[in-house]
Amino acid sequence: MFEVFLKELRELLRDKKTLLFVVALPVLVFPIIFGLMGFLMSQATLEAEQKVHTYAIANEAYAPEFAKELFYHKSFEQSKEQFETIEQMKQAVRDGKIDVGIMIPIEPREKLASGEQSTWQVIYNDASSINFIFSRIKEAIENFSGTLQAEQFSLLGVQEQAQVALLKPIEIEKVDTANKRENLGEKLGALIPYLLIPLVLAGASYPAIDLGAGEKERGTLETLLLTPVTRTELVLGKFLTVLTSSLATASITVISMGVWMSVISHFVELKALKEAVGNIGVVDLSLILLLLIPLAAVFSSIVLAISIYARTFKEAQNYMGPLSMLAFMPLIVAMMPNMELTFKTAMIPVTNVALAIKELLKGTVDYSLVGMIFLATLVLAGALMAFCVHWFKKESVLFR
């Protein structure tokens, strides 16, 4: 068995494509993905913050303080065109003549004096995911609203100090019991398994295709079957090769993740992010790697069984495509809101590992559940490996 394993491993190491999947991809994937996401998000936010919007106000004479604040605002430029109705403003926004229109329907001071509320309408295109139009207009309207309130309170003889308490009798102070690591782990923990687990599957898939369907296509499988090695030893040797490749991918990925987290904690200026990342220790990363070992064995058994069944390299690739989709479904379940690691979810393959990784990153993991997940995945891997050995012994599968 070990002779088969060493022979397959040597051939695998000579293959440049395998080295690309096992080494280069895990080392580069995290810095590239996180770097690209951070760069694009910062660029989009910076562009939205610096953009100057063209605006128009209908009946601005009713609110001169508001019109003056908007006129001198660095993010707004007043349009030379005048609009009298909502429909005219909507059409102007659609035509790109203005970015935002503000409709003041009636004198707000007179309305307030009669005890009624004034409703202003802000017309703009809210389809863009990042824009600051509404928040900036809202801030200016609230400033003007505060001016009107102060005027009315003064007329009623209310002192300035009492005005704040009358306007807001109760102030809410939020006390969050979650620490910074827990908050960050909840967000990162949903993303990292989504990157990590498919890489473990990819690390097993390519070598498995070459060791099963590739042997059939090259015509070397018959030669292997004639050697004085039992079929059980033969398939176990191939399984160990695929598992080694998958574990190498997982190990390099986890080490890469740890190195880049360490780099981030030293260079990122955000104090909260630095503290949260700095609390993720070697033990947490080791447990993540430990959970990935039986999962890699599960994937290795499945892809090797598929590869043995396929007639050609291409046919094996066609079967692996749907398998990748099936692997993503449990990950999507783990990403659902309020999905937590419990005794029930600890029994769902792949989902349990993804949830455990999230809890480990948050620092709130129940270690008894981690042990349960490890054992459950190990039993599943053993059953699938036994099936793979049985599958390899069938003549109808080997010589289809």
Side-chain angles (χ1 to χ4, degrees):
M1 180 181 74
F2 287 105
E3 289 178 359
V4 175
F5 167 61
L6 292 173
K7 172 249 176 195
E8 301 289 8
L9 198 60
R10 277 196 296 273
E11 289 184 2
L12 213 58
L13 290 173
R14 293 192 192 109
D15 190 346
K16 291 180 182 177
K17 289 181 182 175
T18 303
L19 292 177
L20 177 71
F21 274 100
V22 175
V23 180
L25 193 62
V27 170
L28 295 175
V29 71
F30 282 106
I32 289 175
I33 289 175
F34 288 135
L36 192 62
M37 283 174 61
F39 175 76
L40 292 176
M41 285 295 293
S42 62
Q43 286 297 309
T45 306
L46 187 66
E47 190 178 332
E49 279 183 341
Q50 293 180 341
K51 188 174 181 181
V52 177
H53 303 285
T54 307
Y55 73 95
I57 305 176
N59 305 321
E60 68 174 273
Y62 293 157
E65 295 90 345
F66 168 74
K68 186 179 177 182
E69 181 176 346
L70 223 55
F71 183 79
Y72 288 107
H73 200 293
K74 65 177 182 181
S75 300
F76 292 103
E77 181 181 8
Q78 190 165 16
S79 171
K80 292 177 182 175
E81 291 189 57
Q82 296 293 319
F83 304 96
E84 304 296 331
T85 64
I86 291 286
E87 290 306 319
Q88 287 177 349
M89 285 189 169
K90 282 183 180 177
Q91 192 58 47
V93 171
R94 290 192 193 103
D95 295 341
K97 293 179 180 175
I98 58 172
D99 295 313
V100 58
I102 301 105
M103 173 60 71
I104 305 175
I106 196 167
E107 166 63 78
R109 281 188 169 84
E110 289 182 6
K111 194 88 172 173
L112 184 61
S114 62
E116 294 180 51
Q117 197 176 42
S118 178
T119 303
W120 295 18
Q121 288 167 302
V122 180
I123 302 100
Y124 71 108
N125 188 335
D126 196 25
S128 176
S129 56
I130 303 177
N131 70 62
F132 298 94
I133 293 177
F134 186 74
S135 59
R136 286 168 178 162
I137 296 286
K138 185 181 175 187
E139 185 182 354
I141 292 175
E142 284 175 349
N143 290 340
F144 179 62
S145 182
T147 303
L148 297 184
Q149 287 171 340
E151 288 175 4
Q152 289 301 311
F153 277 124
S154 298
L155 290 174
L156 295 171
V158 180
Q159 297 296 321
E160 190 175 340
Q161 292 178 342
Q163 292 179 15
V164 177
L166 282 171
L167 289 170
K168 200 171 185 181
I170 298 173
E171 178 74 23
I172 301 172
E173 185 178 347
K174 182 180 175 183
V175 181
D176 189 0
T177 57
N179 57 33
K180 291 164 187 168
R181 178 180 172 180
E182 199 172 338
N183 279 322
L184 185 68
E186 179 66 26
K187 297 170 181 70
L188 275 181
L191 178 65
I192 286 180
Y194 202 74
L195 299 171
L196 200 60
I197 293 174
L199 276 175
V200 174
L201 177 60
S205 298
Y206 186 79
I209 292 173
D210 188 58
L211 298 182
E215 293 270 16
K216 282 186 180 180
E217 203 165 359
R218 291 191 297 270
T220 53
L221 183 62
E222 291 81 355
T223 311
L224 269 178
L225 293 173
L226 291 173
T227 57
V229 181
T230 65
R231 292 195 180 184
T232 301
E233 291 173 333
L234 199 60
V235 75
L236 286 178
K238 288 179 178 293
F239 168 78
L240 285 176
T241 310
V242 176
L243 180 63
T244 303
S245 171
S246 181
L247 287 179
T249 308
S251 305
I252 293 169
T253 306
V254 172
I255 292 169
S256 168
M257 188 172 70
V259 170
W260 284 107
M261 280 183 173
S262 175
V263 171
I264 288 170
S265 66
H266 283 88
F267 290 98
V268 170
E269 294 296 330
L270 292 173
K271 189 180 175 184
L273 181 63
K274 189 176 177 179
E275 286 178 7
V277 171
N279 287 329
I280 299 171
V282 177
V283 175
D284 301 315
L285 293 174
S286 302
L287 283 173
I288 290 173
L289 181 61
L290 189 69
L291 284 169
L292 290 176
I293 291 173
L295 187 64
V298 169
F299 287 149
S300 300
S301 302
I302 294 173
V303 293
L304 189 59
I306 290 173
S307 180
I308 290 167
Y309 180 76
R311 292 189 185 91
T312 62
F313 206 94
K314 190 176 179 181
E315 189 179 339
Q317 284 180 319
N318 291 337
Y319 291 143
M320 299 283 179
L323 178 67
S324 301
M325 295 299 296
L326 288 174
F328 272 107
M329 287 177 68
L331 289 175
I332 293 169
V333 171
M335 290 177 72
M336 287 180 177
N338 297 327
M339 184 61 73
E340 294 180 350
L341 182 61
T342 61
F343 285 100
K344 190 176 177 182
T345 53
M347 291 295 110
I348 305 173
V350 183
T351 300
N352 52 9
V353 175
L355 289 172
I357 291 173
K358 185 163 77 171
E359 294 292 330
L360 282 166
L361 292 174
K362 287 167 63 179
T364 56
V365 71
D366 182 343
Y367 290 102
S368 63
L369 290 177
V370 173
M372 186 184 293
I373 292 168
F374 183 79
L375 286 174
T377 315
L378 199 64
V379 169
L380 178 63
L384 287 169
M385 192 171 67
F387 170 76
C388 194
V389 172
H390 171 71
W391 197 238
F392 197 79
K393 289 180 179 176
K394 292 172 75 76
E395 298 287 335
S396 57
V397 172
L398 287 179
F399 304 105
R400 287 174 63 227

